[in-house]
Amino acid sequence: MRLEDFSRGWIIGDFEPAIVQTKDVEMGILELKAGHKADSHFHAHHTEWNLVLSGCARLNKKLYFEGDIFQFLPFEKSTVEYLEDTKLLVIKSPAVKGDKHYA
């Protein structure tokens, strides 16, 4: 298996294909290009943690670099801007299908 075999980098969760199928957690490795801005969404049911593997992200005027973690609680809007090509490990819990809502 390779990361490219999975949908947009999502590897664990309540979907196919998945390394592990579970309703407890979703996990993915996402790659975002410099200049990308989050599409102003929130999740009603899960908390999301983002570990910066490489690159740089700005959230609420704070910069996050390799090794930094930022989180979104339920109903908190995703307003991240990626200042460099960035790779994230994203973890969401619980895994709830359709829990992406646009503000």
Side-chain angles (χ1 to χ4, degrees):
M1 279 189 264
R2 296 187 48 81
L3 185 58
E4 297 82 25
D5 296 334
F6 298 90
S7 179
R8 297 182 0 248
W10 290 100
I11 57 175
I12 295 174
D14 189 21
F15 46 77
E16 289 187 30
I19 295 170
V20 175
Q21 266 191 306
T22 177
K23 294 179 188 265
D24 295 327
V25 67
E26 291 181 357
M27 186 178 300
I29 298 173
L30 281 60
E31 296 185 24
L32 301 126
K33 295 288 184 191
H36 177 82
K37 293 182 182 179
D39 56 3
S40 192
H41 70 276
F42 66 92
H43 304 284
H45 301 285
H46 62 247
T47 298
E48 176 181 315
W49 297 269
N50 297 267
L51 167 60
V52 180
L53 299 173
S54 65
C56 177
R58 178 171 46 212
L59 172 62
N60 298 329
K61 300 181 183 178
K62 183 174 179 184
L63 297 179
Y64 293 86
F65 298 96
E66 183 177 329
D68 290 337
I69 298 171
F70 57 93
Q71 83 171 13
F72 296 104
L73 298 171
F75 296 101
E76 188 174 1
K77 287 184 192 176
S78 175
T79 56
V80 183
E81 179 180 5
Y82 299 94
L83 305 179
E84 301 174 1
D85 288 353
T86 302
K87 186 180 281 190
L88 298 174
L89 171 63
V90 180
I91 302 167
K92 300 177 188 179
S93 182
V96 179
K97 287 183 180 182
D99 191 28
K100 186 173 186 178
H101 308 279
Y102 293 94

